[in-house]
């Protein structure tokens, strides 16, 4: 985003960061151009720092989405489903990731609503400070992760963190909770993926046995089994079942 910023804004940011408000105020030509005093310069620095913090948060937003939401389980299950069917790149990665993202937004909408009502809006209305707003925004996410993390994974991360044994959930740091939550989600995702693989594996084994009985050893079984797997998936309304099962796991 900084590449498309005007050069005057970039130079102003550099001047404020390296010279400070006093240095800017000492330059009369700069004062005439920018038309601000020391107080305005201080506000300018504060605004610029807030913009830089916002850009930093936006840059790590995809990682936050991956680590603290239902995205992990959904995208892993959908990817394993595609491999179980043997359809190669159908559906494409863009569709799988897009579906996973929209399902994540739908599942996380109550958490997002709480963050907006308890943290974002009070902060924008200057009712909460930055620290209080950040704490209010993290609390709903921690509640969501605690409701889906496994005790074994949480104990493992707490043991290696070097922190004293927590007496309550509030004593567990967020940096310890996030990797434990990710491990739990991966475990559940691969468990669901195994259950999805079983019926398609049976079709592959039956097809391979039939081909061997007919003496058609040179014909790859995947060519024959793929249409039957797709037909089975369509007849049982597979997308509805898979997506419904994933969503039931979060509600």
């Amino acid at each position: 985003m900084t590449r498309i910023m005007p050069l005057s804004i970039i130079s102003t940011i550099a001047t404020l960061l390296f010279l400070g408000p006093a240095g800017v105020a000492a330059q009369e030509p700069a004062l005439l151009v920018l038309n601000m005093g020391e107080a305005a310069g201080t506000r300018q620095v504060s605004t610029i720092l807030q913009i830089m913090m916002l850009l930093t948060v936006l840059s790590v937003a995809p990682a936050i989405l991956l680590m603290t939401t239902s995205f992990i389980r959904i995208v892993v299950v959908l990817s394993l489903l595609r491999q179980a069917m043997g359809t190669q790149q159908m559906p494409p990665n863009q569709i799988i990731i897009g579906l996973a993202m929209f399902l994540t937004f739908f599942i996380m909408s109550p958490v997002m609503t709480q963050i907006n009502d308890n943290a974002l809006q009070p902060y924008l209305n200057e009712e909460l400070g930055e620290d209080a707003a950040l704490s209010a925004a993290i609390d709903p996410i921690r509640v969501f992760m605690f409701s889906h993390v496994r005790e074994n994974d949480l104990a493992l991360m707490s043991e290696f963190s070097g922190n004293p044994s927590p007496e309550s959930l509030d004593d567990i740091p967020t940096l310890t909770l996030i990797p434990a939550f990710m491990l739990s989600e991966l475990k559940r995702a691969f468990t669901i993926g195994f259950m999805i693989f079983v019926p398609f594996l049976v079709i592959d084994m039956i097809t391979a046995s039939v081909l061997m009985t007919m003496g058609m050893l040179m014909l790859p079984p995947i060519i024959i089994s793929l249409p039957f797997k797709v037909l089975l998936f369509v007849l049982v309304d597979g997308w509805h079942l898979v997506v419904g099962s994933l969503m039931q796991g979060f509600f």
Side-chain angles (χ1 to χ4, degrees), residues 90-184:
M90 294 302 295
N93 292 331
Q94 293 84 348
I95 295 180
I96 289 181
I97 295 176
L99 178 60
M101 290 185 63
F102 279 103
L103 290 177
T104 300
F105 292 149
F106 181 80
I107 293 171
M108 299 297 296
S109 58
V111 178
M112 295 179 182
T113 301
Q114 294 182 20
I115 294 175
N116 181 69
D117 295 340
N118 301 332
L120 181 58
Q121 293 302 325
Y123 175 73
L124 295 178
N125 296 330
E126 299 182 354
E127 298 175 0
L128 291 178
E130 294 181 358
D131 295 338
L134 181 60
S135 177
I138 292 178
D139 288 342
I141 301 177
R142 285 174 56 89
V143 172
F144 173 81
M145 289 191 290
F146 275 125
S147 62
H148 297 285
V149 69
R150 297 193 311 159
E151 294 184 2
N152 294 338
D153 297 326
L154 194 57
L156 175 66
M157 291 302 162
S158 299
E159 178 182 356
F160 284 97
S161 64
N163 298 324
S165 299
E167 298 180 358
S168 63
L169 298 180
D170 296 334
D171 297 333
I172 300 177
T174 304
L175 294 180
T176 301
L177 175 60
I178 291 176
F181 171 76
M182 295 180 67
L183 289 177
S184 301

Side-chain angles (χ1 to χ4, degrees), residues 40-86:
T42 303
R43 291 195 299 269
Q44 184 76 7
V45 172
S46 177
T47 302
I48 292 173
L49 291 178
Q50 291 179 359
I51 293 175
M52 293 178 62
M53 293 178 60
L54 178 61
L55 293 177
T56 302
V57 172
L58 291 177
S59 65
V60 300
I64 298 176
L65 176 65
L66 290 175
M67 293 185 294
T68 61
T69 64
S70 58
F71 182 83
I72 298 176
R73 187 190 308 184
I74 296 174
V75 74
V76 171
V77 169
L78 294 181
S79 299
L80 291 176
L81 171 61
R82 184 177 63 181
Q83 294 184 13
M85 293 181 63

Side-chain angles (χ1 to χ4, degrees), residues 21-34:
V24 176
Q27 298 180 357
E28 296 181 357
L31 286 175
L32 295 176
V33 175
L34 297 177

